[in-house]
Amino acid sequence: MVTITASYTIIPNESTPQGRLWLSDIDQVIRMRHTLTIYIYKAKHNPDFIERLRNSLSKILVHYYPIAGRVCWTEGGRIEIDCNAKGALLLEAETTKTLGDYGDFSPSESTKELVPTIDYNQPMEELPLLAVQLTRFHGNEGLAIGVAFFHPLADGLGAIQFINSWAKIARGDTLEPHEMPFLDRTILKFSHTPLAPRFDHTELKPLPLILGRSDTTVEKNKKVTTALLRLTAEQVEKLKKKANEQTLDLGSRPYSKYEAIGAHIWRCVSKARELDENQPIVVRFNADIRSRIVPPLPQNYFGNALTQTAASGHVGEITSKPLSYVAQKIREAIKVVTNEYIRSQLDVIRGHDHLDNARALFLGQEGNNASFFGNPNFHLTSWMSMPVYEADFGWGKPHYFGLAYVAPHDRALILLSPEGDGSVIVCLHFQEAHIQLFKDFFYRDI
């Protein structure tokens, strides 16, 4: 059981620009919720830790001042950030559980209690965009930092850069010029009349249903559970070697770690569900556009710089063809994300008079009509390139980092392990009825 012992509203410690921050079209079609993550540290708690967090957060918010603001609505269903310096929420808490009681910290209702609870019954305009909880484990075995970060503010890379910069200030260091966030999103603001889509945009089409079904009701009601599956550096290399056994086209680079692991996950998903071999399946991914759009975005761009893309196939081909065949499907889905593709997708968003219609296309409807991205489909995310273990606030690097909530549908998140030895952690969210079979295939088929 977790008890909140103190609550602080942290505002920037210097005056910051006021007014509204325009959010890009990509920001508009991101889930209007906070992403929940946890950092676990094995350091013994010290009473000055909360003061260190309070002081350093007030300093970093001067540079990242939109985070201290609030959401506001404008015409056409757009959201903007009111940079009113109302502040971020910082909670101090303690739990009756020991570090060991939480097991491997895989996403669950148990780990979710280590992250601030956001009350979405409140008006959106009143909710803090950032809420952080410092929890002390029973027996002073360590502590957790739980982060609730409003997703339309920034993507995973932007959020991690913010946390790492905050940690750097907490250690007493100063930020280098290249570490300052680039906040002006009008770099992605376009004035031309939206053009008709220039691509097929598989990622925006209705997802296939299980053959013989007319809706997703049955699948939506099935329980999703999670597992953290570790691949050693040797297993990762075996998968890469397996993916590259077939002769590649002249001039093609070998399949990457992500392409090999992603293909392996897709095959295990297709086998574990035991669906008809003619069952269509769509796998959705996000692709970072920072270096893909022309001109490229600054590397310190703070906002959502992700676009959706998708690969499709049938269960029979995915399970019977070589791993290289599946890896090639993933490669082609990422390769299609060019400057023109990104701009075509942005024009799709801009072509809607009301943003709610665009959100429905990217995220699905709300309530009973909500789109379901699970069985027979899947969502794959890689955070392997993100420096998630650099968040040292002065008491050492995190022993663990991960999501703190169970997704409502099947997905996998691929992370490097904290040991830095080349091993990988796959955070799997999968229907409980099929997860054991997935695990069996996951290790047997390497």
Side-chain angles (χ1 to χ4, degrees):
M1 181 180 168
V2 170
T3 304
I4 305 298
T5 57
S7 174
Y8 311 95
T9 297
I10 309 298
I11 62 172
N13 75 345
E14 297 175 21
S15 63
T16 52
Q18 301 290 298
R20 291 188 170 191
L21 179 74
W22 183 85
L23 297 186
S24 75
D25 297 309
I26 299 174
D27 297 324
Q28 305 297 329
V29 293
I30 297 293
R31 203 169 55 98
M32 294 275 180
R33 287 290 185 268
H34 293 69
T35 299
L36 310 180
T37 54
I38 51 169
Y39 295 83
I40 304 300
Y41 298 87
K42 287 198 167 176
K44 292 195 180 299
H45 184 265
N46 186 306
D48 83 287
F49 282 0
I50 193 69
E51 279 306 309
R52 185 183 299 183
L53 289 181
R54 288 175 67 181
N55 293 335
S56 54
L57 182 54
S58 71
K59 291 175 183 176
I60 193 65
L61 287 177
V62 174
H63 305 300
Y64 283 87
Y65 61 86
I67 294 177
R70 295 293 184 267
V71 167
C72 57
W73 298 88
T74 65
E75 72 286 341
R78 289 192 78 90
I79 61 166
E80 294 181 347
I81 302 299
D82 181 2
C83 298
N84 54 20
K86 284 198 171 178
L89 179 65
L90 179 61
L91 303 175
E92 191 174 8
E94 56 187 30
T95 174
T96 54
K97 296 178 184 175
T98 65
L99 192 74
D101 289 336
Y102 287 92
D104 63 3
F105 289 96
S106 55
S108 65
E109 285 305 309
S110 181
T111 51
K112 197 175 176 182
E113 67 187 19
L114 299 173
V115 179
T117 301
I118 306 296
D119 182 6
Y120 293 108
N121 293 317
Q122 296 290 322
M124 191 69 83
E125 299 88 339
E126 295 177 12
L127 296 177
L129 304 182
L130 172 72
V132 178
Q133 181 176 314
L134 176 70
T135 306
R136 184 170 73 248
F137 293 112
H138 183 69
N140 201 13
E141 293 180 321
L143 46 96
I145 291 181
V147 180
F149 188 93
F150 189 57
H151 202 338
L153 260 183
D155 53 22
L157 182 57
I160 294 300
Q161 286 173 339
F162 162 73
I163 295 291
N164 290 351
S165 293
W166 175 18
K168 188 174 184 181
I169 287 178
R171 295 195 304 270
D173 295 335
T174 54
L175 299 186
E176 301 292 331
H178 71 273
E179 293 173 310
M180 295 296 179
F182 185 91
L183 301 174
D184 183 8
R185 303 180 194 209
T186 59
I187 197 171
L188 287 175
K189 193 172 190 175
F190 307 105
S191 57
H192 66 268
T193 302
L195 302 174
R198 281 82 78 197
F199 296 86
D200 197 30
H201 289 299
T202 304
E203 73 280 2
L204 300 181
K205 291 186 173 178
L207 292 165
L209 297 167
I210 290 180
L211 294 176
R213 302 263 183 92
S214 58
D215 60 34
T216 60
T217 305
V218 173
E219 298 308 310
K220 266 186 198 171
N221 291 328
K222 290 182 178 176
K223 186 180 178 185
V224 174
T225 189
T226 63
L228 296 181
L229 306 176
R230 182 180 288 269
L231 292 170
T232 64
E234 292 74 26
Q235 289 170 320
V236 170
E237 284 308 309
K238 280 179 76 173
L239 284 174
K240 281 181 69 178
K241 188 176 178 184
K242 194 173 181 180
N244 287 292
E245 279 175 351
Q246 309 298 314
T247 306
L248 288 162
D249 293 338
L250 194 64
S252 293
R253 61 174 172 80
Y255 290 113
S256 67
K257 186 187 300 185
Y258 170 65
E259 290 165 337
I261 296 171
H264 179 59
I265 291 170
W266 190 352
R267 291 182 78 185
C268 295
V269 165
S270 302
K271 289 179 179 182
R273 288 168 170 169
E274 300 182 311
L275 295 169
D276 188 282
E277 65 175 14
N278 296 313
Q279 173 66 54
I281 177 171
V282 169
V283 177
R284 286 185 167 194
F285 329 86
N286 294 321
D288 191 320
I289 70 167
R290 283 170 175 81
S291 59
R292 289 184 168 94
I293 198 166
V294 180
L297 299 178
Q299 282 304 301
N300 56 344
Y301 177 82
F302 183 70
N304 287 283
L306 297 175
T307 191
Q308 286 191 20
T309 185
S312 61
H314 291 83
V315 165
E317 64 174 321
I318 300 302
T319 55
S320 64
K321 299 266 190 182
L323 194 63
S324 58
Y325 177 86
V326 187
Q328 181 63 24
K329 280 186 172 288
I330 293 175
R331 174 170 292 186
E332 287 169 358
I334 302 295
K335 192 176 177 182
V336 75
V337 183
T338 59
N339 177 55
E340 274 305 307
Y341 190 91
I342 296 162
R343 289 173 182 275
S344 174
Q345 201 179 82
L346 289 170
D347 277 346
V348 170
I349 301 170
R350 295 178 61 241
H352 290 277
D353 291 332
H354 201 285
L355 260 301
D356 281 350
N357 298 323
R359 289 182 186 113
L361 194 60
F362 281 78
L363 302 170
Q365 304 284 348
E366 295 293 323
N368 294 331
N369 296 319
S371 292
F372 178 69
F373 302 113
N375 196 356
N377 307 297
F378 196 73
H379 195 278
L380 191 59
T381 305
S382 172
W383 282 2
M384 285 192 288
S385 63
M386 298 203 309
V388 297
Y389 302 111
E390 295 302 309
D392 177 0
F393 288 86
W395 48 76
K397 292 186 176 183
H399 163 72
Y400 173 81
F401 166 83
L403 291 177
Y405 66 96
V406 181
H409 53 79
D410 296 358
R411 66 173 297 191
L413 174 66
I414 309 171
L415 295 139
L416 295 179
S417 73
E419 288 79 17
D421 58 1
S423 60
V424 164
I425 296 170
V426 175
C427 177
L428 178 72
H429 301 241
F430 210 58
Q431 287 180 340
E432 192 172 53
H434 306 302
I435 198 164
Q436 186 55 52
L437 208 47
F438 180 100
K439 290 179 186 177
D440 293 344
F441 288 123
F442 187 75
Y443 289 110
R444 194 188 73 192
D445 291 358
I446 293 174

